Amino acid sequence: DAGVIQSPRHEVTEMGQEVTLRCKPISGHDYLFWYRQTMMRGLELLIYFNNNVPIDDSGMPEDRFSAKMPNASFSTLKIQPSEPRDSAVYFCASSPARISTNEKLFFGSGTQLSVL
Amino acid sequence: QKEVEQNSGPLSVPEGAIASLNCTYSDRGSQSFFWYRQYSGKSPELIMFIYSNGDKEDGRFTAQLNKASQYVSLLIRDSQPSDSATYLCAVNRRQLTFGGGTRVLVKP
């Protein structure tokens, strides 16, 4: 398997523009997670899905953020409108089952987002 | 108080020495504990997990858990320059929560 695939790797946009980040999880993984990483706040969970259904979106910072998972092989994280404070690395991760003692997260390569 | 706390470092360690990393967590109901390694510009990768009090060894890595003290540690024996990275402690309750990470520098 190719692993978790994220696109784009880098995104530079201007404040106010819409940004869409994409993720393809590992085939057969039932859980998909979106994380954001910054120097100040570290790695934060934004939202996660189980079998394409959003389970916990309490980490989504504002209504400007939305995430969808229309099918088992694709998810998007959208920011509209984007702001400079959204600049971060956004990671998508998948897992075959609920995180427990021996299940691990498989991370994608991340999307480096810069909002000017 | 942050849910998972780590010293940000950098922790500077001579090659061949033992690197000792610490992590404390606030939720006593936490079930399992993970250590991820993240190289600069890369994504995190799992290196160890532990869920019972005591020590767990895997190669040069040893994870230690003390639930009474809400404390998890990672020891890296015979540190190598390739161990230079940020080490993230993660704690699982209802979801996986990460600490801010400890940057480790192993000097030849």
Side-chain angles (χ1 to χ4, degrees), chain A residues 35 37 43 45 48 56 91 98-105 107-109, chain B residues 32 34 36 38 41-44 46 49 51 88 92-96 98:
Chain A
Y35 283 88
Q37 188 173 38
L43 196 61
L45 177 64
Y48 78 91
D56 185 351
F91 287 104
R98 184 173 178 80
I99 298 297
S100 59
T101 57
N102 56 4
E103 293 296 346
K104 67 177 181 179
L105 289 176
F107 282 86
S109 299
Chain B
S32 47
F34 303 80
Y36 280 77
Q38 186 175 25
K42 302 296 185 182
S43 57
L46 180 70
F49 66 88
Y51 58 91
L88 302 169
N92 184 43
R93 178 75 159 99
R94 296 182 185 85
Q95 62 193 29
L96 204 57
F98 286 84

Side-chain angles (χ1 to χ4, degrees), chain B residues 23-40:
Chain B
C23 171
T24 58
Y25 60 95
S26 60
D27 189 343
R28 284 193 173 276
S30 300
Q31 303 289 325
S32 47
F33 308 86
F34 303 80
W35 283 99
Y36 280 77
R37 178 177 60 200
Q38 186 175 25
Y39 291 113
S40 180

Side-chain angles (χ1 to χ4, degrees), chain B residues 22-86:
Chain B
N22 304 316
C23 171
T24 58
Y25 60 95
S26 60
D27 189 343
R28 284 193 173 276
S30 300
Q31 303 289 325
S32 47
F33 308 86
F34 303 80
W35 283 99
Y36 280 77
R37 178 177 60 200
Q38 186 175 25
Y39 291 113
S40 180
K42 302 296 185 182
S43 57
E45 55 179 338
L46 180 70
I47 54 172
M48 290 282 293
F49 66 88
I50 186 169
Y51 58 91
S52 297
N53 279 327
D55 295 0
K56 179 181 179 182
E57 187 175 317
D58 184 0
R60 295 186 296 112
F61 298 99
T62 298
Q64 299 173 317
L65 174 61
N66 184 326
K67 289 186 178 180
S69 301
Q70 295 175 242
Y71 176 93
V72 191
S73 65
L74 179 71
L75 300 178
I76 308 174
R77 291 182 300 282
D78 188 24
S79 295
Q80 302 296 311
S82 60
D83 294 325
S84 297
T86 297

